[in-house]
């Protein structure tokens, strides 16, 4: 089991939701409610398993000497049997997590595709607004040049018959300046909307990656359950040897079986932290 296990993914996804990730992704509050409910139940069961493993590990490390070996092994086997039963419930719940995760995964993919399309459309709209603004600015510059020339004729030569043309140039310039302001405002508003869409998409991608990680939690639980169940056949022969007789020869055989179980028991202790889901 590695640090990037699905168990860690469960913790991270729950933390993302708790931090307001659903709202940051622009999604309704109940968008992943079914998956979140399944994860919450699984987290409880996984934590219970972690606590049971702590007891198993403590019993294993505190195994009594030859005089107490039978009692210690008996307690260990009882703890192991109870933990196997717990693991079955947790594995079943992990499958429920996968079902709920698969349901929402497709919806997330569609939302990402929709936002990607909207971002492309908004980028095109920004370009159009900027082109219109540039065209209006160019026309305004030309109109301003005509207006200056008209003013010179009007005030310098006092040619009364040019007055109407000057007014037309001034009106045209005013309209163009208004158009520039409108297109500039449109482009600014469109940029803000594109930034919002980009934020939504980034959070959706984070959600998709988080959901994708927990989709394999059932496989990891099956692996854990198999490792746990495998301990029984390794420990039981040791107990059976002592149960027959606590003679020295039987104790030696029992300890041989325990040594064979040691690697599996040591490996089992490494699941403790992983199953402790926040």
């Amino acid at each position: 089991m590695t640090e990037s296990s699905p168990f860690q993914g469960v913790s991270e996804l729950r933390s993302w939701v708790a931090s307001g990730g659903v709202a940051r992704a622009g999604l309704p509050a109940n968008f992943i409610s079914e998956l979140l409910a399944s994860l919450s139940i699984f987290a409880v069961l996984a934590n219970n398993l972690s606590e049971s493993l702590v007891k198993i590990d403590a019993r294993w490390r505190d195994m009594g000497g030859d005089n107490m070996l039978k009692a210690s092994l008996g307690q260990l086997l009882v703890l192991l049997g109870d933990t196997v039963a717990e693991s079955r419930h947790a594995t079943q719940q992990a499958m429920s997590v996968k079902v709920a995760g698969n349901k929402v995964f497709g919806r997330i993919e569609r939302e990402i595709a929709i936002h990607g399309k909207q971002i492309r459309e908004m980028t095109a709209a920004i370009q159009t607004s900027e082109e219109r603004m540039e065209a209006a600015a160019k026309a305004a510059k030309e109109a301003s040049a005509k207006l200056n020339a008209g003013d010179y004729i009007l005030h310098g030569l006092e040619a009364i018959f040019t007055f109407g043309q000057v007014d037309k140039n001034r009106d045209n310039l005013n309209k163009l300046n208004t158009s520039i302001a409108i297109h500039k405002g449109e482009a600014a508003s469109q940029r803000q909307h594109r930034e919002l869409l980009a934020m939504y998409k980034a959070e959706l991608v984070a959600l998709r990656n988080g959901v994708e990680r927990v989709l394999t939690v059932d496989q990891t639980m099956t692996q854990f359950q198999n490792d746990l169940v495998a301990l029984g056949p390794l420990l039981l022969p040791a107990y059976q040897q002592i149960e027959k007789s606590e003679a020295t020869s039987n104790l030696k055989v029992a300890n041989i079986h325990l040594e064979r179980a040691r690697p599996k028991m040591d490996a089992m202790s490494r699941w403790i932290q992983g199953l402790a889901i926040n």
Side-chain angles (χ1 to χ4, degrees):
M1 190 173 60
T2 66
E3 290 184 354
S4 60
S5 73
F7 298 142
Q8 184 181 351
V10 173
S11 295
E12 291 175 355
L13 184 54
R14 280 157 55 90
S15 295
W16 180 86
V17 173
S19 71
V22 174
R24 291 195 305 273
L27 298 170
N30 64 348
F31 188 82
I32 60 168
S33 57
E34 182 181 351
L35 173 59
L36 195 60
S38 291
L39 288 173
S40 296
I41 296 171
F42 176 75
V44 171
L45 296 174
N47 275 291
N48 290 343
L49 275 173
S50 179
E51 293 173 4
S52 295
L53 290 179
V54 169
K55 295 175 183 177
I56 288 175
D57 188 63
R59 180 71 279 174
W60 169 256
R61 295 182 187 282
D62 193 34
M63 190 73 71
D66 289 349
N67 293 334
M68 297 293 296
L69 193 56
K70 181 179 178 181
S72 297
L73 264 174
Q75 292 170 4
L76 182 60
L77 286 168
V78 170
L79 285 172
L80 184 60
D82 292 342
T83 307
V84 168
E86 289 179 8
S87 74
R88 291 196 180 103
H89 291 304
T91 301
Q92 289 173 354
Q93 185 58 34
M95 293 176 181
S96 297
V97 168
K98 183 171 186 176
V99 171
N102 278 325
K103 283 183 183 178
V104 78
F105 189 81
R107 292 168 62 196
I108 296 169
E109 290 275 66
R110 288 191 292 274
E111 288 291 329
I112 291 173
I114 289 170
H115 282 70
K117 180 182 178 183
Q118 290 176 336
I119 289 170
R120 291 191 296 273
E121 291 173 348
M122 197 55 58
T123 299
I126 291 169
Q127 184 177 353
T128 299
S129 294
E130 289 176 342
E131 288 173 353
R132 289 174 178 172
M133 183 176 66
E134 290 171 3
K138 181 179 179 182
K141 185 177 180 180
E142 294 173 356
S144 179
K146 291 179 182 179
L147 180 61
N148 291 337
D151 280 343
Y152 174 77
I153 294 171
L154 174 63
H155 300 296
L157 302 177
E158 297 180 353
I160 193 70
F161 52 83
T162 64
F163 187 78
Q165 184 60 43
V166 171
D167 274 352
K168 288 181 180 179
N169 287 341
R170 186 177 290 112
D171 289 343
N172 187 38
L173 181 60
N174 288 339
K175 290 177 181 178
L176 288 168
N177 285 332
T178 299
S179 180
I180 291 171
I182 290 172
H183 295 313
K184 185 177 181 180
E186 286 176 346
S189 176
Q190 289 160 346
R191 284 194 195 92
Q192 288 180 346
H193 188 50
R194 183 176 64 179
E195 288 174 4
L196 182 62
L197 289 170
M199 183 189 77
Y200 287 164
K201 184 182 177 183
E203 291 294 342
L204 283 165
V205 170
L207 175 58
R208 179 191 63 190
N209 294 342
V211 171
E212 191 170 24
R213 288 184 68 186
V214 303
L215 287 179
T216 59
V217 74
D218 64 317
Q219 297 175 21
T220 306
M221 274 304 305
T222 298
Q223 178 189 342
F224 164 74
Q225 187 176 340
N226 290 340
D227 289 349
L228 186 66
V229 170
L231 290 174
L234 293 173
L235 295 173
L236 189 59
Y239 182 78
Q240 289 170 336
Q241 283 293 326
I242 304 172
E243 195 174 34
K244 290 178 183 176
S245 170
E246 295 189 38
T248 302
S249 59
N250 282 4
L251 287 172
K252 287 182 179 179
V253 173
N255 279 302
I256 291 173
H257 285 297
L258 291 178
E259 284 303 311
R260 289 173 180 171
R262 187 173 300 281
K264 286 284 188 181
M265 289 298 300
D266 290 342
M268 186 55 58
S269 67
R270 291 196 286 269
W271 287 92
I272 293 173
Q273 186 175 357
L275 285 162
I277 297 173
N278 298 324

